[in-house]
Amino acid sequence: MANELRFDGRVAIVTGAGQGLGRAHALLLASRGAKVVVNDLGGSATGGGKNSEAADKVVAEIKAAGGEAVANYDSVEDGAKIVQTALDHFKRLDIVINNAGILRDTTFHKMSEQDWELIYRVHVLGAFRVTQAAWPHLRDAGYGRVIFTSSAAGIYGNFGQANYSMAKLGLVGFARTLALEGAKKNVFVNVIAPIAGSRLTETVLPKEVTDALKPEYVSPLVAVLCHESCQENGGLFEVGGGFLSKLRWQRTEGVRFKLGRNITPELVQSHWERVTDFEKATFPADITAATQPVLENLGTKSRGGNEFIDADAALGYELPPITTSYDERDLSLYALGVGAARDPLNPKELRFVYENHAEGFQALPSYAVVPAVNAVLKLVAEGKQAPGLNYGLDRVLHGEQYTELLRPLPPHAKLRHQGRIKDIFDKGKNALVVTEIRTFDAATGEELVRNELTTFVRGAGGWGGDRGPSSDINVPPERAPDAVVTEKTNENQALLYRLSGDWNPLHADPEFAGAFGFPKPILHGLCTFGHVVRHVLKTFRDSDGRYFKSIKVRFAESVFPGETLQTEMWKESDSRILFRCKVLERNKVVISNAAIELHTELPKARPAPKAEAQAPVAGNPGAAQGSVSASVFAAIRGYVEKHPELVAKVNNVYLFKLTSPESTWTLDLKNGQGSVTQGAAGKADCTLELTDADFLAMTSGKADPQKLYFGGKLKVAGNVMASQKLNFLTKIDPREVGASSAPAASAEASKAEAPKADAPKSSGPASAPAIFKSLQERLAKSPELAAEVSALIQFKLTSPEGAWTVDLRSAPGTVSEGTQASPTATLTLADEDLLALAKGAATARELYQRSKLRVDGDVRVAHRLGFLKHLV
């Protein structure tokens, strides 16, 4: 066969080769051209006696088949003699297969010291002495393949084989270390855990099974691992009966307690499920990966906790992102729920509940808290809670609330919420948990709202943690308030407010409320919150919600629906109002330590945020374009081309896995000429994982790789020693980085300037100018039209935007572009819908019913638009 794996010129030692597995290994290697030292003491399966017959017989078989072999009868404890036999007869050594073994099976309580000692001497000490004698010859030759023979008993344990299990697993650790030490000299070490019919298995398996488990099913794997083409190193393989597989260690995600935490047996027991849960398992491949969690934890400091709150686990946890939406109906329902438009004829508050208000519909700014709270309640309903927060709704109250609007809320929007546990404070008997939620416009990415929900958790404090900031903030002065607003809530106020999404039965179910010691359901704290926002806006900004900037309150006492709220306000400055709210019937302060920030002038509309370019990097779809690391690797490529001596000096393949943004790069300094490619190419000797920013800091010399590693910011897998050969990266001229990125930047700029073939076409020129020109001509011919309408009409057009005024208060009437003060009615519609009116293809009534025409002011004007028909 052209691709047959051959061992011509290679010399192999196989211990315990007189029968069973060793014999099969020796015969197979010899048949493929290897010269074999057939070692076998010729003792019994339990280690007694000595006989040369077994080894001689195998040697004879090999020679009869045309191969070369020599017998050796020494004990593996005399490993140097076995190695010397190979050197004396064949002048070299390439392969060592440690296979010799015996059994001394007995239960541990019956096991003698001799049983233990003899197993150790044959399996462990013998393998050590053979391999140690061979090691310098393999290193000096720059080539070697070593196999150790373990067992399922060593990996998993087995009844009656404590001594054997000890020895066989010991060989695994022995081999893994040799694999690391021999790698740079091309000496690879692997372990097999075979199951085959032999004198060692015939005592524990039925005869029909041992007969079927032929040693010949194991030897092909050994041959592959011993071949010069095989790059496997440090592996552990199960093999037998036609089955072959590789094993690796698996570790649970585990639990990390930050340093300084009082780690008690009870604390460990309470986290036992996470300690033993393999759902998020990892597979540490080396001691670096094994110690990584410990090293990362060394830089931590515990914030403490107890059975209800584990501050270390919870702090900083990012809640799963949630998307919600609202429209004018939701805003109107909310405003009614917090008492707005109690007087339906009040035009100032009517704009919070009527979408076609003449002065424009507004979102009551306190609504900004509702989507955020509903997002949290949705997670609670789904059973999703931050790790370390082990309490239910029965323990919590809404303690404090901070809400900030970055701009007035639009009348409808789709929102994306990002939350995290920002702070946890120990208040003695109780605790406070602060959840920060940032809300974004899902369509544009613009940040709209920032909320901080402070949850008061009853009976969850007392661990001696941070008490948080002083509670004496936003305290009103010792003088009469500057303004007072008194308002009685409705008996069904809680039932109305809960339609905005707060489903807590404490606010609706009398039995549920009674179970918690309340005579009846209580009003939502955020319902009271909405009332006081209205009171302050009414007093200081004429109920115009656009002036609202932020609010912070503390909920001090429950309110019952039907009670009377009294908001007392102190003007600290033109922009800051201190206030508190009382329930008059019980003379209880229900909102304290409260302040509102107001704009002194209407905030200007922000320009729409520009979408960031996210063109994928070639070869790495999904990576953000513009990662500076790309130019660094381009500079590395140039450096390697100028310094070809690096290939022979370093002789390793490196895989860089970068994050924020993600990218993967391969630096191959082993392929003869050196190369840098994006993505994972081939098998890496050393893998480095770090952020893009830390990679740049490391290559520029601003960050010490060792400090990054011990700080948990750099993860190294594979050949750890190879990572120390990367110091040449700091020698790259920073100017080369800039130069390498210039062509790419120029190319991207050219792409940006070039028109896109699939760009959407313009909607075309506006129809309005031609329509209103025709209208002016019609009015000149028919001056009686002005008397029929008798109104000043403002047209606000969209898509494209425009404004026109038609003055029909006197004949013959005038048409002008732009706006005029105090129109009788303002009609807002799209340019194409104006064209439909002018063509007679649609009526004003039809457009209004389909929400394509908005009428502000005198609605009757919309019934007198016949003068527009058939203008075009």
Side-chain angles (χ1 to χ4, degrees):
M1 295 174 60
N3 59 348
E4 183 181 59
L5 297 183
R6 298 288 301 175
F7 295 88
D8 300 304
R10 299 296 187 191
V11 175
I13 290 175
V14 182
T15 67
Q19 52 191 316
L21 284 169
R23 172 180 173 274
H25 301 336
L27 292 175
L28 178 59
L29 292 179
S31 71
R32 298 299 182 102
K35 301 172 183 178
V36 183
V37 174
V38 179
N39 161 261
D40 200 293
L41 180 65
S44 67
T46 58
K50 182 176 182 180
N51 193 314
S52 64
E53 181 181 354
D56 290 339
K57 186 175 181 180
V58 175
V59 170
E61 286 185 74
I62 292 174
K63 289 182 175 180
E68 295 185 60
V70 62
N72 176 277
Y73 318 115
D74 293 302
S75 166
V76 287
E77 292 184 65
D78 296 319
K81 294 180 180 179
I82 301 173
V83 171
Q84 192 61 45
T85 298
L87 299 176
D88 290 344
H89 286 77
F90 303 122
K91 312 305 180 187
R92 63 178 294 151
L93 178 60
D94 304 285
I95 299 166
V96 175
I97 300 175
N98 291 292
N99 172 75
I102 61 171
L103 286 178
R104 303 276 290 199
D105 290 353
T106 184
T107 56
F108 186 63
H109 77 281
K110 293 181 179 180
M111 187 173 292
S112 67
E113 194 166 321
Q114 183 183 15
D115 292 332
W116 182 274
E117 180 69 19
L118 191 56
I119 289 293
Y120 161 75
R121 283 166 47 197
V122 173
H123 290 272
V124 181
L125 182 61
F128 159 74
R129 285 185 173 166
V130 173
T131 307
Q132 188 184 47
W135 198 251
H137 301 286
L138 302 178
R139 283 174 49 86
D140 291 346
Y143 176 84
R145 297 293 185 266
V146 180
I147 303 295
F148 286 90
T149 306
S150 182
S151 168
I155 300 170
Y156 308 108
N158 194 36
F159 187 88
Q161 292 190 308
N163 49 1
Y164 185 71
S165 299
M166 169 276 301
K168 288 305 187 183
L169 189 58
L171 292 176
V172 175
F174 180 21
R176 292 290 293 252
T177 297
L178 291 187
L180 296 174
E181 295 183 6
K184 60 184 178 182
K185 293 294 185 179
N186 195 25
V187 179
F188 296 161
V189 184
N190 291 284
V191 184
I192 63 168
I195 180 169
S198 70
R199 62 179 183 167
L200 298 190
T201 57
E202 64 186 9
T203 61
V204 294
L205 294 175
K207 184 178 185 305
E208 60 271 18
V209 175
T210 58
D211 290 344
L213 293 173
K214 297 179 180 179
E216 289 78 9
Y217 290 144
V218 175
S219 298
L221 170 63
V222 173
V224 169
L225 293 173
C226 290
H227 197 266
E228 60 190 28
S229 65
C230 182
Q231 298 297 299
E232 189 70 41
N233 191 30
L236 170 61
F237 299 85
E238 285 186 313
V239 56
F243 172 75
L244 301 92
S245 71
K246 184 177 181 180
L247 275 70
R248 60 181 176 181
W249 297 115
Q250 184 178 21
R251 177 172 62 191
T252 68
E253 183 182 40
V255 176
R256 302 186 192 189
F257 297 118
K258 293 186 178 180
L259 300 187
R261 181 76 180 271
N262 181 23
I263 304 176
T264 64
E266 292 75 20
L267 179 63
V268 174
Q269 185 181 53
S270 67
H271 288 78
W272 195 247
E273 185 175 344
R274 287 180 58 198
V275 171
T276 59
D277 182 9
F278 279 91
E279 183 177 351
K280 296 181 180 179
T282 58
F283 301 91
D286 50 43
I287 197 168
T288 303
T291 58
Q292 178 190 330
V294 177
L295 294 176
E296 290 178 350
N297 207 47
L298 291 181
T300 64
K301 183 178 180 181
S302 176
R303 294 283 297 269
N306 54 29
E307 60 181 304
F308 300 111
I309 294 177
D310 183 338
D312 297 329
L315 270 174
Y317 174 78
E318 295 188 359
L319 302 174
I322 290 184
T323 301
T324 65
S325 62
Y326 70 87
D327 56 20
E328 291 85 348
R329 182 180 182 278
D330 297 306
L331 294 177
S332 300
L333 185 60
Y334 167 79
L336 292 171
V338 297
R342 192 180 302 273
D343 175 4
L345 299 181
N346 179 345
K348 300 299 183 183
E349 289 209 335
L350 188 62
R351 59 186 166 191
F352 296 132
V353 298
Y354 177 46
E355 67 278 8
N356 288 323
H357 193 277
E359 296 180 12
F361 180 69
Q362 284 190 17
L364 188 62
S366 54
Y367 178 79
V369 72
V370 172
V373 170
N374 287 351
V376 172
L377 288 174
K378 181 180 179 182
L379 291 176
V380 172
E382 294 174 353
K384 297 175 182 177
Q385 184 156 287
L389 301 185
N390 307 309
Y391 50 79
L393 286 176
D394 58 319
R395 286 187 175 271
V396 305
L397 294 171
H398 199 154
E400 296 181 3
Q401 178 62 41
Y402 172 76
T403 300
E404 177 185 358
L405 266 67
L406 279 70
R407 72 170 177 88
L409 291 176
H412 51 265
K414 185 176 182 179
L415 306 174
R416 175 172 51 85
H417 309 281
Q418 295 179 347
R420 70 182 180 98
I421 306 301
K422 181 181 180 182
D423 277 311
I424 296 177
F425 301 120
D426 181 0
K427 291 297 186 180
K429 183 178 179 181
N430 308 302
L432 297 180
V433 177
V434 182
T435 303
E436 175 192 70
I437 301 177
R438 299 171 63 193
T439 298
F440 302 82
D441 186 312
T444 66
E446 178 188 7
E447 187 174 6
L448 299 177
V449 186
R450 293 174 185 168
N451 278 288
E452 287 185 9
L453 287 66
T454 300
T455 303
F456 181 88
V457 189
R458 297 183 296 177
W463 67 83
D466 184 3
R467 293 189 62 85
S470 169
S471 60
D472 295 327
I473 56 174
N474 298 331
V475 178
E478 294 292 333
R479 60 177 175 82
D482 297 317
V484 176
V485 172
T486 302
E487 183 177 18
K488 183 177 176 62
T489 62
N490 291 328
E491 294 288 347
N492 64 350
Q493 198 78 55
L495 296 176
L496 182 57
Y497 179 83
R498 72 187 302 271
L499 299 180
S500 289
D502 190 332
W503 45 260
N504 191 336
L506 183 61
H507 306 295
D509 190 331
E511 291 187 11
F512 189 91
F516 287 93
F518 295 105
K520 62 179 181 178
I522 63 175
L523 191 62
H524 308 69
L526 288 179
C527 182
T528 307
F529 175 84
H531 278 77
V532 297
V533 169
R534 287 179 38 247
H535 296 168
V536 175
L537 288 175
K538 174 183 178 181
T539 304
F540 293 98
R541 291 297 185 270
D542 197 24
S543 293
D544 193 334
R546 294 173 296 173
Y547 285 94
F548 177 93
K549 182 179 181 182
S550 68
I551 181 173
K552 185 173 180 62
V553 304
R554 176 172 300 153
F555 299 105
E557 184 74 30
S558 299
V559 177
F560 294 102
E563 291 187 318
T564 304
L565 301 176
Q566 180 172 288
T567 304
E568 302 170 340
M569 294 161 272
W570 289 263
K571 184 178 179 181
E572 190 174 76
S573 67
D574 287 341
S575 62
R576 181 174 168 83
I577 311 299
L578 300 178
F579 68 93
R580 67 181 171 217
C581 183
K582 295 179 178 178
V583 167
L584 292 185
E585 288 82 353
R586 292 180 286 127
N587 193 29
K588 292 281 189 180
V589 175
V590 295
I591 288 183
S592 64
N593 298 83
I596 282 186
E597 295 280 346
L598 300 173
H599 294 292
T600 55
E601 58 183 34
L602 285 177
K604 296 180 180 179
R606 296 186 180 188
K610 296 180 180 179
E612 296 182 3
Q614 295 290 331
V617 177
N620 188 20
Q625 182 72 0
S627 167
V628 183
S629 60
S631 57
V632 175
F633 280 106
I636 293 173
R637 183 184 294 111
Y639 186 85
V640 170
E641 291 173 354
K642 294 177 182 177
H643 299 84
E645 71 277 5
L646 281 173
V647 178
K649 183 178 179 181
V650 178
N651 193 33
N652 282 292
V653 179
Y654 299 91
L655 178 63
F656 292 86
K657 293 183 177 180
L658 307 183
T659 60
S660 304
E662 292 186 0
S663 63
T664 305
W665 301 83
T666 300
L667 170 58
D668 190 339
L669 298 178
K670 203 174 186 179
N671 62 4
Q673 57 186 11
S675 64
V676 177
T677 56
Q678 189 164 5
K683 182 178 181 181
D685 298 301
C686 181
T687 300
L688 299 94
E689 296 185 45
L690 67 166
T691 66
D692 192 89
D694 287 334
F695 171 73
L696 297 177
M698 184 178 74
T699 54
S700 64
K702 295 180 181 178
D704 184 347
Q706 190 172 14
K707 290 183 178 179
L708 290 175
Y709 173 75
F710 284 106
K713 294 184 176 181
L714 169 63
K715 299 177 183 178
V716 183
N719 186 352
V720 180
M721 300 300 293
S723 64
Q724 299 182 12
K725 296 183 179 181
L726 289 172
N727 57 345
F728 72 88
L729 294 178
T730 60
K731 299 178 182 179
I732 297 174
D733 189 342
R735 289 173 296 181
E736 294 183 15
V737 175
S740 65
S741 62
S746 176
E748 289 302 314
S750 299
K751 291 178 184 178
E753 293 172 4
K756 296 183 179 179
D758 58 351
K761 296 180 180 180
S762 170
S763 58
S767 304
I771 293 173
F772 286 109
K773 181 180 179 182
S774 296
L775 177 60
Q776 184 68 74
E777 294 172 355
R778 175 176 288 181
L779 291 175
K781 296 177 181 178
S782 306
E784 70 278 4
L785 288 174
E788 293 177 7
V789 179
S790 187
L792 178 63
I793 307 173
Q794 177 78 60
F795 288 86
K796 286 187 177 180
L797 303 177
T798 61
S799 304
E801 294 185 355
W804 296 79
T805 300
V806 179
D807 189 348
L808 301 178
R809 291 175 294 183
S810 59
T814 60
V815 177
S816 60
E817 189 170 5
T819 62
Q820 291 187 27
S822 304
T824 308
T826 299
L827 309 179
T828 304
L829 69 166
D831 186 89
E832 64 177 353
D833 292 325
L834 175 68
L835 180 60
L837 281 176
K839 288 182 175 180
T843 66
R845 180 177 178 178
E846 290 170 344
L847 293 176
Y848 181 82
Q849 289 178 340
R850 297 202 302 268
S851 299
K852 291 188 173 184
L853 170 65
R854 173 173 168 169
V855 182
D856 295 314
D858 190 344
V859 180
R860 293 172 295 179
V861 172
H863 299 290
R864 302 198 292 269
L865 295 180
F867 61 86
L868 292 174
K869 288 184 66 174
H870 305 303
L871 281 174
V872 292

